[in-house]
């Protein structure tokens, strides 16, 4: 039992002391059995206070530490480090939260907040008395990282890791890399084409010996834990192997072109969001790898293509590969919001399209080479054969669904205002006679992106702003499409515009394919994007040790923000696995094998698959996988014989806290 405990009560500036009488708290605990000193600090987390704590621990030979301040989520590790630097076992430190659970929660009742703070600190002291020194277990780790998703986020993370010497498996579900960025034309501010940026990344990746790239690849299972994840990959065949038909008449490209021509299958091209059609064998708009693909899902297996081009294998089978990885980065990206039928006329009025379709339309019209494209001559923007002059851009479709807008997406998608304005500028530059009318809910071109709004306004774009409870109304009568709105900027005046094309500026939503979340057991937030541990302190970490987030799998981001997050995730993963050893948190379940009679309840309740069974003295008992256990405590209450204790949170420690709170 610890008998010399130091107690520090933080004022947190005035966050705590404005509502909690900190002097009364100190006076109430200073004479509690085991307390050697009790102090009030202005900021417990300040460097000067930390140094003071270290001196106190050393000078007064303290063997326990209590800090009453903010949430342990913010400063648990700060004060553990203080204890460690002073030579005390860091698990003999306990934090009492008297800010979020005290002053902030009860700011209207300071007397009650003070009484609650006193009990919270006494409970922390009681637990500290019974706390035991713990040693963190150390496990070996593979210096290998699996990066799931080869969009710009995954590619950037893979390159960053590979350059440090870490081995990387980069896997992509699609047969082409680049994700959404490969679909965009010019991107702000460099005016490079999205596919050019991706092409540069791809060139670096294929030259780097530390990166193994698999396209057409799904992650199908994950076992093991941080440092030693066992991953099974399913690799779908590309169906075309250049060089396998060497010696035949004509070169490969000639034979392949003829094979594509003879393919009888036409399907919508999802890369162009249905604006064009493609064959079951297809090339894809300059994407990488440059080798075409046989679309097995839509191929009828007629075999006519194989007669012309033997390099095509319509019977190729998928293969599996098992790999070991010390860490995983999830960079699976986003889906664009898909408007429902009738939402701002979408699906009912033929000249209402999404922002993503508009960006592809710009590319198709300018190239004029895609099969089925609607472009006939550069300089005039055409859609479905009609000349486009007036374009109505309706913002916040699928984002900020509040007021009169129905839907679950309450968040702002951040990138869409700037991207839509940039696209409108490009449209004006590329095509003759374009008039842009923007229907916004308030433009959010933050930071350096504001220059786009200024450029657009100077060029003559018109901005109208709707009320939250009165979104724009799109209608069509006698072939004329109109957009009507009550405009905030002209004091509620009703404005109506005839539009040749209506572009719904749709935001980002999480991937509809949730298989990675289920396999990796990474939780999602209320917005259904993957959830980080803490937005400020651990912005790319997940609650699953060793699994990190990058890019828009975590929420809406522009390209710059995506690359920053990828850099961060790569650094975190490298720091974790590069030494070959990982120190684990010692807080975990512990089985008393003599009491255990194996009922399986703990196995069923464990969300991390950390419970297994073993034979012990002629009976079956539970055993905990220490590298997998997260110390969540879910197994404790379901054990009928109380054979499970949580290290660092034993029954005696918890009961002592309850006793202190109930006094």
């Amino acid at each position: 039992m610890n008998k010399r405990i130091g107690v520090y009560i933080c004022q947190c500036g005035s966050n705590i002391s404005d509502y909690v009488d900190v002097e009364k708290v100190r006076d109430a605990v200073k004479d509690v059995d085991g307390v050697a000193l009790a102090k009030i600090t202005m900021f417990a987390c300040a460097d000067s206070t930390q140094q003071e704590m270290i001196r106190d621990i050393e000078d007064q030979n303290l063997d326990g530490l209590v800090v009453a301040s903010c949430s342990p989520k913010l400063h648990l590790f700060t004060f553990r480090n203080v204890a460690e630097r002073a030579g005390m076992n860091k698990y003999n430190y306990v934090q009492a939260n008297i800010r979020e659970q005290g002053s902030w929660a009860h700011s209207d009742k300071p007397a009650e907040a003070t009484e609650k703070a006193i009990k919270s600190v006494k409970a922390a002291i009681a637990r500290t008395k019974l706390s035991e020194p713990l040693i963190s277990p150390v496990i070996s780790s593979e210096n290998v990282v699996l990066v799931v998703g080869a969009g710009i986020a995954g590619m950037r993370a893979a390159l960053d890791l590979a350059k440090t010497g870490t081995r990387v498996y980069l896997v992509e579900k699609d047969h082409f890399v680049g994700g959404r960025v490969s679909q965009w034309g010019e991107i702000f501010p460099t005016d490079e084409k999205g596919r050019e940026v991706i092409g540069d990344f791809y060139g670096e990746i294929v030259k780097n010996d530390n990166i193994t790239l698999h396209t057409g690849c799904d992650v199908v299972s994950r076992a093991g834990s941080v440092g030693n994840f066992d991953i099974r990959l399913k690799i779908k065949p590309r169906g075309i192997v250049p060089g396998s038909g060497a010696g035949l008449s004509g070169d490969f490209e000639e034979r392949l072109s003829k094979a594509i021509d003879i393919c009888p299958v036409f399907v919508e091209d999802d890369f162009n969001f249905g604006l064009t059609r493609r064959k079951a064998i297809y090339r894809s708009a300059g994407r990488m790898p440059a080798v075409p693909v046989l679309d097995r899902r839509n191929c009828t297996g007629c075999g006519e293509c194989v007669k012309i081009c033997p390099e095509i294998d319509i019977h190729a089978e998928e293969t599996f590969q098992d790999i070991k990885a010390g860490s995983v980065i999830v960079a699976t990206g986003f889906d664009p919001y898909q408007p429902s039928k009738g939402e701002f006329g979408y699906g009912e009025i033929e000249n209402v399209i999404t922002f993503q379709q508009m960006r592809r339309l710009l590319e198709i019209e300018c190239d004029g080479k895609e099969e089925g494209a609607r472009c006939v001559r550069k300089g005039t923007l055409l859609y479905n054969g009609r000349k486009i002059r007036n374009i109505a851009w309706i913002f916040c479709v699928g984002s900020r669904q509040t007021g009169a807008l129905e839907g679950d997406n309450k968040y702002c998608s951040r990138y869409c205002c700037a991207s839509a304005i940039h696209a409108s500028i490009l449209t004006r530059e590329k095509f003759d006679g374009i008039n842009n009318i923007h229907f916004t809910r308030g433009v959010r071109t933050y930071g350096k992106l504001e220059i786009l709004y200024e450029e657009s306004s100077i060029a003559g774009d018109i901005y109208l702003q709707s009320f939250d409870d009165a979104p724009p109304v799109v209608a069509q009568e006698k072939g004329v499409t109109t957009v009507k709105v009550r405009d905030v900027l002209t004091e509620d005046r009703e404005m109506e515009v005839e539009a040749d094309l209506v572009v719904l500026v749709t935001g980002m939503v999480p991937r509809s394919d949730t298989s990675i979340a289920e396999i990796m057991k990474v939780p999602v937030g209320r917005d259904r994007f993957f959830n980080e541990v803490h937005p400020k302190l651990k912005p790319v970490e997940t609650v699953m040790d060793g699994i990190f987030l990058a890019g828009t799998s975590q929420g809406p981001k522009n390209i710059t923000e995506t690359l920053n997050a990828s850099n961060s995730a790569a650094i975190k993963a490298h720091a974790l696995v590069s030494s070959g050893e990982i120190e684990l948190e010692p807080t975990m379940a512990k089985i008393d094998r003599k009491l255990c009679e194996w009922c399986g309840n703990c196995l069923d309740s464990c969300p991390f698959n950390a419970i297994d069974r073993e034979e012990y003295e002629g009976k079956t008992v539970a055993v905990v996988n220490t590298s997998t256990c997260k110390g969540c405590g879910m197994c404790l209450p379901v054990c009928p014989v109380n054979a499970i204790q949580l290290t660092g949170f034993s029954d005696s420690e918890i009961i002592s806290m309850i006793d202190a709170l109930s006094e």
Side-chain angles (χ1 to χ4, degrees):
M1 177 176 289
N2 303 307
K3 301 208 175 154
R4 295 191 59 78
I5 299 170
V7 180
Y8 296 84
I9 301 152
C10 182
Q11 298 182 65
C12 195
S14 59
N15 274 289
I16 294 173
S17 56
D18 273 1
Y19 311 102
V20 171
D21 185 340
V22 293
E23 292 186 0
K24 189 174 181 180
V25 175
R26 180 196 55 193
D27 292 343
V29 303
K30 64 184 175 65
D31 296 323
V32 172
D33 183 35
V35 174
L37 67 84
K39 288 185 175 180
I40 296 171
T41 70
M42 179 58 73
F43 290 107
C45 57
D47 286 346
S48 58
T49 309
Q50 292 183 41
Q51 290 301 326
E52 181 183 347
M53 291 180 188
I54 291 171
R55 286 195 299 272
D56 288 345
I57 293 170
E58 292 173 342
D59 294 346
Q60 301 203 31
N61 196 26
L62 303 180
D63 55 9
L65 177 65
V66 171
V67 177
S69 57
C70 53
S71 167
K73 279 188 174 181
L74 289 174
H75 284 305
L76 176 69
F77 293 101
T78 301
F79 299 118
R80 277 186 178 177
N81 288 336
V82 167
E84 198 165 36
R85 285 153 59 196
M88 178 192 293
N89 187 284
K90 59 186 177 183
Y91 298 101
N92 284 343
Y93 157 68
V94 175
Q95 188 159 343
N97 183 352
I98 62 170
R99 191 179 72 174
E100 284 85 345
Q101 296 177 355
S103 62
W104 285 1
H106 308 291
S107 57
D108 56 335
K109 297 179 179 177
E112 287 83 350
T114 300
E115 288 304 311
K116 184 176 180 180
I118 291 171
K119 291 192 174 186
S120 296
V121 177
K122 285 184 175 178
I125 294 169
R127 183 182 154 209
T128 307
K129 285 182 189 175
L130 300 176
S131 64
E132 296 179 357
L134 302 177
I135 298 174
S136 301
V138 176
I139 61 170
S140 63
S141 171
E142 298 282 340
N143 188 15
V144 178
V145 176
L146 169 69
V147 179
V148 184
I152 196 167
M155 296 173 86
R156 179 74 271 166
L159 283 168
D160 288 344
L161 283 163
K163 288 173 183 174
T164 66
T166 296
R167 179 89 182 140
V168 180
Y169 286 93
L170 175 61
V171 300
E172 169 57 48
K173 181 186 284 285
D174 196 357
H175 282 287
F176 302 97
V177 301
R180 300 297 176 192
V181 173
S182 64
Q183 293 178 291
W184 305 150
E186 293 89 340
I187 50 180
F188 182 79
T190 60
D191 280 341
E192 295 169 279
K193 296 253 185 180
R195 66 171 180 264
E196 293 171 352
V197 175
I198 294 301
D200 291 343
F201 276 29
Y202 178 76
E204 289 186 59
I205 284 171
V206 295
K207 287 189 295 187
N208 197 310
D209 293 337
N210 282 335
I211 301 177
T212 300
L213 171 65
H214 289 306
T215 57
C217 180
D218 292 318
V219 178
V220 294
S221 69
R222 190 224 72 182
S225 58
V226 57
N228 294 281
F229 289 114
D230 296 306
I231 311 285
R232 166 153 276 212
L233 306 176
K234 182 175 73 175
I235 303 167
K236 295 167 284 190
R238 201 169 193 88
I240 301 171
V241 184
S244 60
L248 299 175
S249 62
D251 62 18
F252 168 67
E253 289 297 329
E254 180 185 351
R255 292 193 297 275
L256 185 62
S257 295
K258 290 180 179 177
I260 293 174
D261 288 341
I262 204 171
C263 177
V265 177
F266 278 93
V267 296
E268 281 193 353
D269 188 347
D270 53 3
F271 183 72
N272 286 332
F273 298 100
L275 291 174
T276 60
R277 303 178 74 196
R278 62 166 172 78
K279 298 291 187 69
I281 312 168
Y282 66 101
R283 310 174 194 271
S284 188
R287 288 196 290 169
M288 298 294 170
V291 180
V293 172
L294 172 64
D295 176 4
R296 292 283 298 273
R297 186 179 55 182
N298 290 299
C299 175
T300 61
C302 69
E304 292 299 317
C305 57
V306 182
K307 295 176 184 175
I308 298 171
C309 183
E311 290 92 341
I312 298 173
D313 183 358
I314 62 174
H315 300 297
E317 298 291 335
E318 59 195 18
T319 58
F320 292 86
Q321 181 179 359
D322 296 322
I323 65 169
K324 269 194 172 293
S327 178
V328 177
I329 293 177
V330 178
T332 49
F334 72 98
D335 284 332
Y337 174 77
Q338 182 65 27
S340 57
K341 187 175 182 180
E343 187 173 0
F344 296 104
Y346 185 77
E348 294 179 343
I349 301 175
E350 51 84 24
N351 57 342
V352 176
I353 64 175
T354 65
F355 173 65
Q356 287 73 25
Q357 288 177 309
M358 182 64 190
R359 286 305 306 254
R360 288 308 303 161
L361 181 64
L362 288 181
E363 289 301 294
I364 294 167
E365 289 284 87
C366 289
D367 290 344
K369 297 173 183 175
E370 296 286 338
E371 184 178 9
R374 293 162 174 80
C375 177
V376 292
R377 67 183 176 88
K378 191 172 181 180
T380 300
L381 178 61
L382 299 178
Y383 178 72
N384 279 348
R386 294 178 58 181
K387 185 177 180 180
I388 304 301
R389 291 179 58 86
N390 296 334
I391 303 176
W393 304 77
I394 299 181
F395 288 53
C396 297
V397 177
S399 302
R400 302 172 63 197
Q401 291 176 317
T402 57
L405 295 175
E406 296 182 356
D408 297 328
N409 303 336
K410 308 302 181 191
Y411 54 85
C412 168
S413 280
R414 293 163 56 88
Y415 91 111
C416 8
C417 279
S419 296
I421 294 172
H422 182 234
S424 72
I425 293 171
L426 291 176
T427 309
R428 184 192 290 276
E429 290 175 349
K430 292 175 181 290
F431 301 99
D432 296 331
I434 296 296
N435 300 309
N436 293 309
I437 306 98
H438 301 272
F439 294 81
T440 80
R441 295 173 68 193
V443 174
R444 296 183 173 185
T445 48
Y446 56 97
K448 297 177 181 177
L449 302 174
E450 184 73 359
I451 193 173
L452 291 170
Y453 179 48
E454 183 181 2
E455 181 180 346
S456 161
S457 300
I458 292 173
D461 283 10
I462 296 171
Y463 285 84
L464 305 174
Q465 183 175 331
S466 64
F467 292 91
D468 284 355
D469 59 354
V473 176
V474 182
Q476 189 176 61
E477 187 173 349
K478 297 180 180 179
V480 177
T481 302
T482 59
V483 183
K484 187 187 298 183
V485 69
R486 283 170 47 209
D487 177 35
V488 173
L489 304 177
T490 52
E491 298 182 345
D492 202 13
R493 185 175 175 184
E494 185 172 276
M495 311 288 279
E496 182 174 292
V497 174
E498 289 187 9
D500 302 312
L501 190 65
V502 177
V503 179
L504 306 184
V505 182
T506 48
M508 297 181 181
V509 296
R511 288 284 192 189
S512 58
D513 181 353
T514 60
S515 58
I516 283 296
E518 293 162 5
I519 291 169
M520 297 297 170
K521 297 192 181 301
V522 177
V524 298
R526 290 182 180 178
D527 57 7
R528 294 173 287 117
F529 285 100
F530 289 122
N531 222 11
E532 68 281 344
V533 172
H534 191 286
K536 293 178 181 175
L537 302 178
K538 295 187 176 183
V540 297
E541 290 96 327
T542 72
V543 295
M544 296 299 296
D545 290 341
I547 300 180
F548 302 96
L549 303 174
T552 52
S553 64
Q554 194 177 4
K557 292 181 176 67
N558 64 27
I559 294 175
T560 302
E561 294 162 345
T562 293
L563 294 176
N564 288 339
S566 297
N567 292 148
S568 179
I571 290 169
K572 289 287 184 181
H574 171 73
L576 181 69
V577 303
S578 58
S579 70
E581 290 185 339
I582 297 175
E583 185 177 295
L584 300 178
E585 187 74 10
T587 302
M588 57 185 67
K590 184 178 180 182
I591 308 290
D592 185 333
R593 293 185 292 185
K594 291 185 177 178
L595 290 178
C596 179
E597 296 176 353
W598 182 253
C599 62
N601 289 347
C602 53
L603 173 64
D604 295 337
S605 66
C606 180
F608 302 104
N609 298 323
I611 303 287
D612 205 344
R613 67 181 79 183
E614 66 175 359
E615 296 303 312
Y616 173 74
E617 294 185 351
K619 65 176 183 177
T620 301
V621 298
V623 61
V624 176
N625 182 336
T626 55
S627 60
T628 308
C629 179
K630 297 287 292 178
C632 68
M634 295 286 284
C635 55
L636 272 70
V638 301
C639 179
V641 294
N642 201 30
I644 311 176
Q645 294 284 309
L646 195 61
T647 308
F649 293 87
S650 63
D651 284 356
S652 57
E653 290 173 77
I654 299 301
I655 290 170
S656 72
M657 295 179 75
I658 294 171
D659 289 342
L661 290 168
S662 60
E663 284 179 356

